Amino acid sequence: MNNALGLLKERRFLPLFVTQFLGAFNDNLFKTAMVLFATYQVLNDPETEFMFNALATGAALLPFVFLSALSGQLADTYDKAQIIRLVKTAEIGIMLFGGAGIIVAHFGYPMVGVGMMLGAVLMLGTHSTFFGPIKYAILPQHLKEDEVLGGTGMVEAATYLSILLGTVVAGWVSIETAGWLTLIVAVIGWFTGRMVPAAPRQGAKLKLNFNPFTASWRLIANTMHIPRLFWAICAISFFWTMGAVLIVIFTPLAKNVLTSTKEVASLMIATFSVGVAIGSVIINAMLKGEISAKYSPISVIAMAVFIVAFSFESRFWIPAAPGELYDMIGFIVMPQAWLVLATLMAIAIAGGMFVVPLYAFLTTTVTKDQTARTVAANNIVNAFGMVLGALLVIAITALSFGPADQLLFVAGMAIISAWIAQRLHRACD
């Protein structure tokens, strides 16, 4: 752990670490602020709120499905640091567009403004699609072999801590303030991105394929034939499918089941983010630099158990008086609240312990000139799984399954993830 923290003193790691932290913070702050604004101030029907949350999740993920193959090719063909600078420049323009949507909503056209903000979320998804392969693929290029797992854990933990901060801020500030903050953070990220050391192409220059369908298919086919990559990507994708369902559920569950304000909704997502970050650090310490999936099956089984517990806890929640919502203080003083938060934290810790070692497989199984495309292939499958997760929420909501029942679907998916992780562990023996 100390060795991993020591990387924060190195220019070969710190600027990338800060840049990806700020980018994840911005993505999450803007998306969460928009979802909370729509859920609490624009929409008034629980089923519509679930649908909108799923739509927002899908909008953020679709670029990963269609553009990840191209992003991986670009990252393995050109200087990764140069691509970071271009992506960070685009982020400033995206935040300006999102801010314009907030202004439109402020001046009496909330649905038009929300539509523009949803467009900004789609563009932020595109921004993340081109940045995503780089933040992992650049690590083996800048770090020593025995530093890669620690660096991956640090990046993963930072990602979830940035989600935490973005979620907390989104729950406590107005949508207008969120717009200004995202623009400021984008500018800061532009400066830190320029400090990332050069990471030039290490293999032959690729002939780029701009067809998203054939490029994606070839990328996945060229990656998934390696057994441990196949099982690692499947396991990661199932995890993020579960994560997508949970994130879609949290805000409507907070409002309509826990009958609480948007601050409580952000507290729930923040608790989940902290837990994954803690799990990331714990598993890194347990493995001591070894790249192994030996703890992944039991970790995701524990996650399933805690999800079932969370489902039953929400069923027995004592709701607020009709027409009222618990504020943060009112929620915290409820005896059940601490059990709900502790269970949510346990779900996330187990999830972090499950998923972090799997990312290390992606960057150490292939040669350095293939790492970005490998991460991109993983992103395509992950995004496809998460979109399916969002569609699953829409489908089971339409069938009148409530949030507590939807949690049981996630628990069932966790059992499948445990089986996949066990296959990965056997493939590595």
Side-chain angles (χ1 to χ4, degrees), residues 129-323:
T129 299
F130 284 95
F131 186 78
I134 294 174
K135 74 176 184 179
Y136 291 112
I138 203 172
L139 295 179
Q141 200 165 341
H142 284 166
L143 305 183
K144 299 175 184 176
E145 185 173 347
D146 62 351
E147 295 174 327
V148 172
L149 180 62
T152 301
M154 290 287 290
V155 168
E156 198 69 7
T159 298
Y160 284 99
L161 287 176
S162 64
I163 292 173
L164 160 68
L165 290 177
T167 300
V168 170
V169 172
W172 287 93
V173 302
S174 67
I175 188 69
E176 292 83 7
T177 302
W180 281 110
L181 281 175
T182 53
L183 180 58
I184 292 170
V185 170
V187 172
I188 297 173
W190 183 84
F191 280 105
T192 60
R194 296 183 67 81
M195 299 178 189
V196 176
R201 180 183 76 249
Q202 294 197 309
K205 188 172 182 178
L206 301 176
K207 182 179 179 181
L208 300 180
N209 184 347
F210 292 93
N211 185 315
F213 300 102
T214 59
S216 297
W217 176 255
R218 289 173 185 169
L219 182 62
I220 294 171
N222 289 337
T223 301
M224 300 285 271
H225 71 281
I226 303 172
R228 75 176 194 167
L229 277 184
F230 174 84
W231 292 115
I233 290 174
C234 287
I236 293 170
S237 297
F238 252 91
F239 174 81
W240 284 118
T241 301
M242 293 186 291
V245 176
L246 290 173
I247 294 299
V248 169
I249 289 174
F250 282 154
T251 299
L253 184 145
K255 180 184 177 185
N256 302 307
V257 177
L258 303 183
T259 56
S260 302
T261 62
K262 69 171 187 172
E263 288 79 12
V264 175
S266 79
L267 174 65
M268 291 176 60
I269 302 175
T271 300
F272 188 80
S273 303
V274 170
V276 175
I278 292 173
S280 301
V281 174
I282 290 174
I283 196 63
N284 183 49
M286 290 175 65
L287 290 173
K288 299 177 181 178
E290 178 188 4
I291 299 175
S292 170
K294 60 184 177 182
Y295 296 116
S296 292
I298 189 64
S299 296
V300 78
I301 288 173
M303 183 180 177
V305 172
F306 291 126
I307 289 172
V308 172
F310 189 64
S311 172
F312 281 99
E313 289 164 15
S314 65
R315 294 172 195 272
F316 293 104
W317 180 263
I318 301 172

Side-chain angles (χ1 to χ4, degrees), residues 14-183:
L14 179 60
L16 173 73
F17 179 85
V18 174
T19 301
Q20 69 87 28
F21 180 92
L22 294 175
F25 172 85
N26 243 14
D27 287 356
N28 194 70
L29 170 58
F30 190 85
K31 178 177 177 288
T32 304
M34 180 197 69
V35 167
L36 292 173
F37 174 71
T39 301
Y40 282 89
Q41 297 185 45
V42 180
L43 307 174
N44 294 299
D45 173 64
E47 185 170 326
T48 304
E49 291 161 9
F50 270 104
M51 300 292 187
F52 180 80
N53 274 267
L55 180 62
T57 299
L61 295 171
L62 278 178
F64 285 94
V65 176
F66 293 106
L67 296 175
S68 286
L70 177 60
S71 70
Q73 293 175 72
L74 289 172
D76 278 337
T77 301
Y78 298 100
D79 189 319
K80 297 175 183 64
Q82 185 62 37
I83 296 174
I84 288 174
R85 296 183 182 101
L86 293 173
V87 167
K88 290 291 118 180
T89 301
E91 185 183 11
I92 296 174
I94 294 168
M95 294 293 79
L96 288 171
F97 181 80
I102 294 172
I103 293 172
V104 170
H106 179 77
F107 282 98
Y109 300 94
M111 292 305 297
V112 176
V114 167
M116 292 178 66
M117 285 184 264
L118 198 59
V121 168
L122 178 66
M123 288 187 281
L124 283 173
T126 304
H127 154 276
S128 297
T129 299
F130 284 95
F131 186 78
I134 294 174
K135 74 176 184 179
Y136 291 112
I138 203 172
L139 295 179
Q141 200 165 341
H142 284 166
L143 305 183
K144 299 175 184 176
E145 185 173 347
D146 62 351
E147 295 174 327
V148 172
L149 180 62
T152 301
M154 290 287 290
V155 168
E156 198 69 7
T159 298
Y160 284 99
L161 287 176
S162 64
I163 292 173
L164 160 68
L165 290 177
T167 300
V168 170
V169 172
W172 287 93
V173 302
S174 67
I175 188 69
E176 292 83 7
T177 302
W180 281 110
L181 281 175
T182 53
L183 180 58

